[in-house]
């Protein structure tokens, strides 16, 4: 770098365009964009390697705006790179514009959605992991972080993970502009406070003036030369830099400048500089074009054999890993419990341990799928709650990830409620475009483990701790959106819909009642989202009454999914929901099911109650 | 401390009892308990101040087992303190026993449930905050942490928070036993790795041999003498210490010892030592007995005025704070947006800033309510997802906390999906014993802000970013479990149920249709959990058809709550759910409602569609 003036001019141009676009939109975060303008001007001009004609070029660097509210800066940068027109920029935040308030992959150069702070760095660590361990390509991952978001624990999960993994291809650019949304940040401009923390986690750090293009350039150079550790560039910057009315002022967050014209004049007016971004020197294959792999030979289990669905998952994902080289498995230090260990034993090079850091685990899954890998991330169903914001955002990122939650429900037994997934179905159903699967036996679990990867979006498989008898032959098919009718006769008077362990309780109840001549239809609703509405409606129409039974809280789970299938139909059946209601404590699995009122006895009682009511006249108010 | 032998003996006794109880239960985590036995023996004998006859004594120390799976150690300690009998200990993990697999407040000496790792320290920081800033009592908070859980980001949120707040009354006891559930931890016995990290966050650290009672005693003494900083005692320990068959062995996690008899013999056999725990020197008032405060004069708003419900919340909680001295407000650096800032301006001494660390914010709320304070924790509805595991566990803790989520739904407008709470109702409904409130106007929001604190458990108030017209007079009452019928006539043909912004869309649709002589009943279901089933059933019975409309994903929200109210009734109405389906982008609030299909136009179209269908014969399959 010889002439620094063009870079300074470019920084000013990015500021001007941020101010202009915010002004046109009437909203946005120009001051948060202005602090990092010089950092991005130097990065794009001198260090980034990216082929804008081919966003999926396998050698491309990845630039992630963890501070997604600085979208104005990102889009102004894209304009300078020639891929966004000025007209498009001025349609920022308008209906139909892909230039959203916070970046999403509706733009081909955006890998993941950001805007929920503290997510870009852990996701970037996942992309860097792909580069270092899987793609084995020299692309770099650059993550622009705000200072406020460094309060998020997820950032420190990423610092720990990337530091220990020695991800030298990862650079965090910390835009320390001193001011958060409502006032000063915890550490203000105390760059050393950040340095001490980041260094303690094993990172290389460089402290710079974030508006000095020479210092910025030198820092990137050091980051690129570092071979053993990730680098954090700790940049002292000024929020709203370049415009005296807002520079380093409180109360100027998240709104257009009151006098845009004056600000643009102070910034030196409009410019039309173009950045020629370097193209990557290596790579070239499109990320998604991986060898397809062999046909998967899934494990099979004999009908009647007792096998936990978590075991079936573990064996299946291991088999899938053998056939499909794009399969990777992520663990939160419970692989022995989730049975992800079976994959680890067979494919140690594609198994990644994140220790007890579920946010980083899910973030890494999102990062790996950016590079075309097919991740399965497994922990206890209960502990996916720890990563719920990452799962929510994965949907905004249009990410294809497979989540597996073991130890579902009260049926785990003695360990008690802290370990029981009892809200996971509700949480995962409420993720945009998600799939929620809860098999009751080993063969269906194995099939669905393979099937879930075919779904575009967030897929969730809920598995059981305890063994259940195998119900289905190995040849049986299981589709997303399907179900199985396990008991059916022409004189069925009630339909019982279960999933997972409650299918077996339903079968026991049905068999007991059949002995008394009471016909009960049993449906295994292994696909809870989408639920098999046609089958459920047909069963309801034929039997009149429906009972749902689930090892989950009553809200948002299987029962609600079934009610939804009946909602907008002409003959809505009377439906009774059985679910866990009281807070469980310790007990054996069978005691837990009984105490929760979701065992065979409770189902039998519910069926009898319905048939008794049928014989009685309607009471007032019911 | 002069004679160390009794302390060593006590450590062995705790190990023996842990082994015995695990053996009796057939499950549990004896080896994880054995590593910390000496640490707890010295703490309880020499440093803890606690009156077991009076668990709510305001001067009591707080001992939190963040590694809740070491419950065997905690219960063995309680036995040594004379509050649990040997018979009770041997009923560990049995049905009906309060000695659950992981500790819960069913035991009066347990403040909060643990077992989801990484929660005890942030909650303990909240208790310590109460001691330092609110109670102003010299009690101490001792938190026993495992080494595996130090991978959780939430631990580092707590390290940052407590370090910066200078909570010298907080001591973290880090049980570095080298082995996690499935193998070695990330840092093994590298105590310096932990020391560097913890010190970087401003803590005082002491490295010790966790089995040397002198070193342990000295470390506690240093912690008690420290006046400016929290202390972390970094203790090198041996998992399964004292029993050669399991000591420092992989594969011995989370199960009883295979030869308990031999282990007990190796540990020196049964003992019956008693610990005389020191009683606190100060305090004495029971925690819950706080001055009741004055009658709250809530803010009122004129009908027709345009006020955002978030503003009403802010004004209301500030008024509540003026009348009730037990009210505290917690912020995740968005108090300007949630309007918690109104409270901050009036009651700065009871307003606590956690920066962008939602897990620590909710954990601190749980910790503060341990001490009898009434917390309101507010952030964007979307970002409560970050703390979902803490909210789930708050329910297991039987914690009384008030959560407030602003910026609900697509109606926020331009900022886009990362900022929109669209799954919050589903997530919060699926929390045990929770309440979910979503007012549509300022007066109801103010009333419900006060009312939510009356509920025992997790209460959630969902507020709007944009202004809505005031619908209700200031004298109107709003109950948890209530609703309001806003339009009603004898010839209503459809009931539209809304909440929040969709109430206003429903009113616009009803008024437009009324002009055509089509009667539409409108219900404001401001209490989504519990939902007002009697009112909804009556409306459905009278009008025949129901349409729910919500600014939320279709799963688990208002629509599902309404369907649930109809589920087990004799005449289940046909119900159509309107909710956000496609992934939103940027647009104005009104465009967002239209694009999501939940605005007045969509409601009108749905009503017309239903009335059209009514006139047509039933189609096959519907």
């Amino acid at each position: 770098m010889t002439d620094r003036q063009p870079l300074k001019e470019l920084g000013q141009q990015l500021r001007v365009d941020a101010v202009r676009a915010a002004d046109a939109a009437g909203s946005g975060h120009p001051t948060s964009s202005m602090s990092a303008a010089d950092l991005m001007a130097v990065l794009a001009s001198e260090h980034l390697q990216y082929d804008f004609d081919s966003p999926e070029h396998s050698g491309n660097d990845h630039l992630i705006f963890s501070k997604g509210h600085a979208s104005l800066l990102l889009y102004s940068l894209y304009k300078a790179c020639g891929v966004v027109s000025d007209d498009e920029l001025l349609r920022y935040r308008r209906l139909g514009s892909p230039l959203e308030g916070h970046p999403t992959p509706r733009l081909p150069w955006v890998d993941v959605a950001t805007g929920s702070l503290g997510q870009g760095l852990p996701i970037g660590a996942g992309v860097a992991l792909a580069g270092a361990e899987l793609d084995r390509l020299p692309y770099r991952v650059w993550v622009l972080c705000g200072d406020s978001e460094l309060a998020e624990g997820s950032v420190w999960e990423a610092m720990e993970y990337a530091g220990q993994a020695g991800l030298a291809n990862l650079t965090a650019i910390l835009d320390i502009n001193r001011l958060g949304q409502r006032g000063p940040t915890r550490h203000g401009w105390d760059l050393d406070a950040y340095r001490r923390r980041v260094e303690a986690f094993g990172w290389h750090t460089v402290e710079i003036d974030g508006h000095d293009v020479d210092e910025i350039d030198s820092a990137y150079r050091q980051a690129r030369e570092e071979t053993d550790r990730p680098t954090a560039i700790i940049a002292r910057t000024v929020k709203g830099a370049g415009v005296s009315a807002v520079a380093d002022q409180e109360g100027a967050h998240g709104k257009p400048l009151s006098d845009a014209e004056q600000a643009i004049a102070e910034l030196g007016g409009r410019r039309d500089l173009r950045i020629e971004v370097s193209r990557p020197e290596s790579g070239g294959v499109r990320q998604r074009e991986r060898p397809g792999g062999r046909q998967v030979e899934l494990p099979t289990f004999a009908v009647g054999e007792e096998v936990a669905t978590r075991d079936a998952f573990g064996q299946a994902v291991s088999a899938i890993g053998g056939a499909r080289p794009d399969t990777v498995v992520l663990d939160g230090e419970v692989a022995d419990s989730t049975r992800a260990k079976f994959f680890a034993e067979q494919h140690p090079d594609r198994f990644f341990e994140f220790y007890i850091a579920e946010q980083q685990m899910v973030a890494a899954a999102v990062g790996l799928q950016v590079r075309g890998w097919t991740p399965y991330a497994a922990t206890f169903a209960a502990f996916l709650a720890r990563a719920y914001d990452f799962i929510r955002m994965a949907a905004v990122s249009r990410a294809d990830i497979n989540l597996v939650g073991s130890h579902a429900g009260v049926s785990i037994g003695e360990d008690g409620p802290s370990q029981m997934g009892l809200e996971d179905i509700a949480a995962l159903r409420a993720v945009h475009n998600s799939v929620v699967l809860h098999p009751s036996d080993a063969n269906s679990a194995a099939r669905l483990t393979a099937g879930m990867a075919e779904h575009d979006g967030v897929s969730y498989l809920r598995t059981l701790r305890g063994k259940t008898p195998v119900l289905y032959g190995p040849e049986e098919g299981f589709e997303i959106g399907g179900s199985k009718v396990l008991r059916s006769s022409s004189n069925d008077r009630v339909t019982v819909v279960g999933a997972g362990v409650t299918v077996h309780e339903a079968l026991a109840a049905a068999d007991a009642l059949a002995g008394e001549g009471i016909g009960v239809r049993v449906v295994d609703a292994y696909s809870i989202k989408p639920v098999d509405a046609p089958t459920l409606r047909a069963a309801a129409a034929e039997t009149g009454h429906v009972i749902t039974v689930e090892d989950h809280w009553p809200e948002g789970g299987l029962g609600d999914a079934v009610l939804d299938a009946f909602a907008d139909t002409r003959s809505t059946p009377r439906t009774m929901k059985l679910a866990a209601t009281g807070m469980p404590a310790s007990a054996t699995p069978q005691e837990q099911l009984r105490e929760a009122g979701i065992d065979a006895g409770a189902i039998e009682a519910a069926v009898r109650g319905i048939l008794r009511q049928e014989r009685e006249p309607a009471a007032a108010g019911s």
Side-chain angles (χ1 to χ4, degrees), chain A residues 40-373:
Chain A
M40 290 302 103
V42 178
L43 179 69
S45 303
E46 304 288 324
H47 298 279
L48 187 71
Q49 302 205 342
Y50 197 89
D51 183 350
F52 275 97
D53 293 331
S54 178
E56 293 221 334
H57 190 292
S58 69
N60 280 344
D61 281 359
H62 294 265
L63 172 59
I64 297 174
F65 267 43
S66 192
K67 53 177 293 187
H69 57 290
S71 58
L72 284 162
L73 173 59
L74 184 65
Y75 305 151
S76 297
L77 192 70
Y78 288 156
K79 185 194 146 191
C81 295
V83 292
V84 164
S85 72
D86 200 62
D87 284 351
E88 286 170 326
L89 184 67
L90 296 183
R91 284 190 45 74
Y92 176 59
R93 288 176 168 242
R94 299 268 182 87
L95 177 64
S97 168
L99 275 54
E100 299 186 30
H102 296 75
T104 76
R106 288 178 66 207
L107 290 171
W109 323 288
V110 173
D111 293 317
V112 291
T114 51
S116 180
L117 290 168
Q119 298 209 7
L121 191 63
I123 292 170
V127 180
L129 164 66
E133 299 288 335
L134 294 165
D135 295 330
R136 296 179 184 279
L137 285 170
Y139 59 80
R140 299 196 61 81
V141 182
W142 310 92
V143 182
L144 177 66
C145 299
D147 43 1
S148 276
E149 67 177 317
L150 303 179
E152 284 285 8
S154 57
V155 168
W156 299 97
E157 292 184 11
M159 291 288 182
E160 179 71 287
Y161 172 68
Q164 279 290 299
L167 296 175
N169 54 349
L170 176 65
T171 305
I173 305 156
L174 310 186
D175 177 20
I176 311 295
N177 66 23
R178 188 187 78 81
L179 291 173
Q181 169 172 329
R182 66 175 290 264
T185 58
R186 187 180 258 131
H187 297 298
W189 272 323
D190 182 359
L191 266 60
D192 271 355
Y194 295 109
R195 185 189 51 71
R196 284 194 302 273
R197 288 160 173 75
V198 176
E199 279 185 357
F201 284 86
W203 286 51
H204 169 221
T205 61
V206 192
E207 287 184 42
I208 61 167
D209 173 348
H211 302 304
D212 181 315
V213 295
D214 285 328
E215 288 193 26
I216 297 170
D217 183 62
S218 163
Y220 290 137
R221 220 165 280 282
Q222 288 181 56
R224 291 172 69 179
E225 284 163 9
E226 176 67 48
T227 54
D228 297 332
R229 300 174 294 173
T231 297
I233 297 170
I234 306 172
R236 185 189 197 278
T237 61
V238 174
K239 194 163 178 171
V243 176
S244 49
V246 293
D248 197 32
Q249 297 297 308
E250 292 190 38
H253 179 93
K255 50 188 171 196
L257 273 51
S258 56
D259 191 342
E261 207 172 325
Q262 160 62 27
I264 293 163
E266 188 176 345
L267 290 163
R270 274 192 66 179
R271 295 165 184 78
D272 270 307
L273 301 169
R274 265 293 294 277
I275 307 175
E276 290 302 326
V277 175
S278 298
R279 288 167 197 257
E281 288 154 17
S282 61
V285 184
R286 288 176 67 85
Q287 291 169 33
R288 293 273 165 180
E289 285 172 14
R290 296 192 179 285
R294 294 180 284 107
Q295 180 71 26
V296 180
E297 277 192 41
L298 289 170
T300 58
F301 306 90
V303 172
E305 194 184 347
E306 298 256 335
V307 186
T309 54
R310 59 174 169 150
D311 281 299
F313 154 72
Q315 293 184 40
V317 78
S318 185
I320 293 164
R324 291 192 49 176
D326 61 324
T327 306
V328 294
V329 170
L330 296 82
D331 175 38
E333 214 209 306
V334 286
D336 49 343
S337 292
T338 62
R339 306 304 200 226
K341 70 172 176 181
F342 298 151
F343 184 97
E345 288 158 6
Q346 296 296 316
H347 316 288
D349 51 327
R350 282 180 280 138
F351 173 82
F352 300 103
E353 181 58 73
F354 293 88
Y355 298 94
I356 307 182
E358 294 83 4
Q359 295 184 91
Q360 177 60 70
M361 179 183 72
V362 172
V366 172
L368 289 166
Q369 65 84 43
V370 164
R371 296 290 316 182
W373 298 91

Side-chain angles (χ1 to χ4, degrees), chain A residues 437-450:
Chain A
L437 306 168
H438 187 24
S440 63
D441 91 332
N443 281 324
S444 54
R447 289 290 182 119
L448 292 168
T449 299

Side-chain angles (χ1 to χ4, degrees), chain A residues 415-492:
Chain A
D415 272 328
S418 63
Q419 317 295 302
M420 296 171 173
L422 283 168
E423 55 293 297
D424 56 318
I425 299 177
L428 270 295
R429 276 182 74 229
V431 169
H432 181 66
N433 192 32
S434 68
V435 155
V436 177
L437 306 168
H438 187 24
S440 63
D441 91 332
N443 281 324
S444 54
R447 289 290 182 119
L448 292 168
T449 299
M452 69 192 295
E454 306 304 319
H455 171 70
D456 286 337
V458 175
S459 301
Y460 174 50
L461 182 78
R462 186 187 209 226
T463 66
L464 298 170
R465 175 177 187 270
K467 293 178 179 179
T468 50
V470 174
L471 298 173
Y472 304 105
E475 71 296 331
E476 192 102 24
F478 294 86
E479 304 295 324
I480 289 174
S483 70
K484 295 287 176 189
V485 179
L486 283 163
R487 294 284 186 280
S488 179
S489 76
S490 56
N491 68 345
D492 290 343

Side-chain angles (χ1 to χ4, degrees), chain A residues 510-556:
Chain A
D511 293 347
L513 289 162
E516 302 172 27
I518 301 171
V520 173
R521 187 157 306 179
V522 176
V523 179
D524 174 1
Y526 61 81
S527 179
I528 297 178
K529 180 186 176 187
V531 77
D532 186 357
T535 298
L536 293 169
R537 289 178 193 162
E542 288 171 39
T543 65
H545 291 283
V546 176
I547 297 171
T548 64
V549 53
E550 62 193 305
D551 194 355
H552 186 272
W553 298 126
E555 298 86 7

Side-chain angles (χ1 to χ4, degrees), chain A residues 10-50:
Chain A
L10 185 57
Q12 294 296 76
Q13 171 178 321
L14 297 176
R15 290 186 179 92
V16 168
D17 284 346
V19 169
R20 290 173 63 230
D23 195 57
S27 69
H29 300 76
T31 58
S32 304
S33 297
M34 293 157 81
S35 61
D38 300 312
L39 291 164
M40 290 302 103
V42 178
L43 179 69
S45 303
E46 304 288 324
H47 298 279
L48 187 71
Q49 302 205 342
Y50 197 89

